[in-house]
Amino acid sequence: IVHPLYVAIILADLEMDKETVAAGLLHDVVEDTEWTFADVADEFGEDVAHLVDGVTKLDNLQLTASVGADKASDRAEMQAENLRKMFLAMAKDIRVIIIKLADRLHNMRTLKHMQPEKQQRISRETLDIYSPIAQRLGISKIKVELDDLSLKYLEPEIYYDLVDKISIRKSEREQYIKKIVLDVKEHIVSAGIKAEVDGRIKHFFS
């Protein structure tokens, strides 16, 4: 129950509607139990059942990505792009994709329990397919975490080096950025230039 529960929590945190949260909680039921699409529809309604069915169909897609894709040819990149297009085209309801993104995010959060080879494969697939979809949908909260978790398993030395170097708390880094923004604004105003200045802290992958 832990995995589907966390998927539902991620969806609730994104402020999705109750049908999407329910479908997130039930997304593995048809695939992993004796329950059918009709059983879900009878108990939770047609809308929830269609969402669960959509996620099940996406799960049955053979999504593959090469572990060495960061050094791959144009052909490998084209394959990843085709997979992303197919992934989006198959979902008649965008909520299906969002449930799948929540599913992948929790899988990535628990990837430490997998064998190294599987960690690499899933992380590469996440970077090639899932993270770009999250970006296209404007769900930066999920994209950022997928990127960082993928980096953790694809380039562990680089990841932990960054963690070590950026040991300052997020709140302190945000204050540092705000100070720089104020300093830049002062210089711009004194130069007689009308402008807006903004800043943000970068995540590890970025």
Side-chain angles (χ1 to χ4, degrees):
I1 190 64
V2 173
H3 170 67
L5 181 60
Y6 271 94
V7 169
I9 290 170
I10 291 167
L11 293 166
D13 191 45
L14 290 172
E15 299 184 8
M16 298 302 296
D17 63 328
K18 65 184 185 296
E19 289 78 16
T20 306
V21 176
L25 190 60
L26 299 165
H27 76 276
D28 282 336
V29 165
V30 174
E31 199 167 28
D32 294 348
T33 75
E34 294 178 359
W35 266 41
T36 64
F37 171 86
D39 292 328
V40 177
D42 288 343
E43 193 71 28
F44 299 97
E46 291 284 337
D47 198 14
V48 172
H50 281 296
L51 291 173
V52 171
D53 186 54
V55 174
T56 304
K57 285 175 180 173
L58 284 179
D59 285 339
N60 291 331
L61 266 182
Q62 293 301 310
L63 298 177
T64 57
S66 170
V67 170
D70 52 340
K71 299 177 182 176
S73 64
D74 290 343
R75 183 181 172 188
E77 174 54 35
M78 201 161 65
Q79 180 196 34
E81 178 63 20
N82 286 336
L83 284 169
R84 290 193 288 263
K85 286 178 181 176
M86 181 171 59
F87 198 80
L88 287 169
M90 272 197 68
K92 294 178 181 178
D93 191 324
I94 196 67
R95 293 175 298 173
V96 170
I97 297 292
I98 296 172
I99 294 167
K100 192 60 194 166
L101 286 173
D103 174 51
R104 176 50 61 110
L105 178 57
H106 187 252
N107 285 339
M108 289 300 295
R109 286 176 179 175
T110 56
L111 204 57
K112 62 184 178 183
H113 303 297
M114 300 285 185
Q115 293 296 319
E117 185 179 325
K118 199 166 186 180
Q119 289 174 345
Q120 291 262 319
R121 179 182 62 76
I122 293 172
S123 295
R124 173 49 59 192
E125 184 181 85
T126 299
L127 269 187
D128 284 349
I129 299 165
Y130 292 89
S131 183
I133 288 173
Q135 183 174 22
R136 289 181 185 187
L137 295 179
I139 313 174
S140 59
K141 189 175 185 178
I142 286 184
K143 182 209 180 312
V144 164
E145 192 172 351
L146 289 178
D147 284 345
D148 282 354
L149 289 169
S150 297
L151 180 67
K152 181 178 179 179
Y153 295 103
L154 290 172
E155 301 285 354
E157 289 183 12
I158 292 173
Y159 177 82
Y160 286 108
D161 184 49
L162 284 169
V163 170
D164 185 52
K165 287 177 178 174
I166 309 174
S167 57
I168 309 171
R169 284 201 315 250
K170 185 180 177 183
S171 59
E172 291 178 19
R173 285 187 282 146
E174 285 174 342
Q175 288 301 317
Y176 179 70
I177 294 293
K178 284 178 183 177
K179 183 183 181 305
I180 293 174
V181 167
L182 288 173
D183 289 346
V184 173
K185 276 182 179 177
E186 284 180 16
H187 286 291
I188 287 177
V189 169
S190 65
I193 299 169
K194 288 184 178 180
E196 289 185 11
V197 184
D198 197 11
R200 64 179 174 84
I201 56 172
K202 284 184 172 287
H203 58 290
F204 294 133
F205 183 82
S206 179

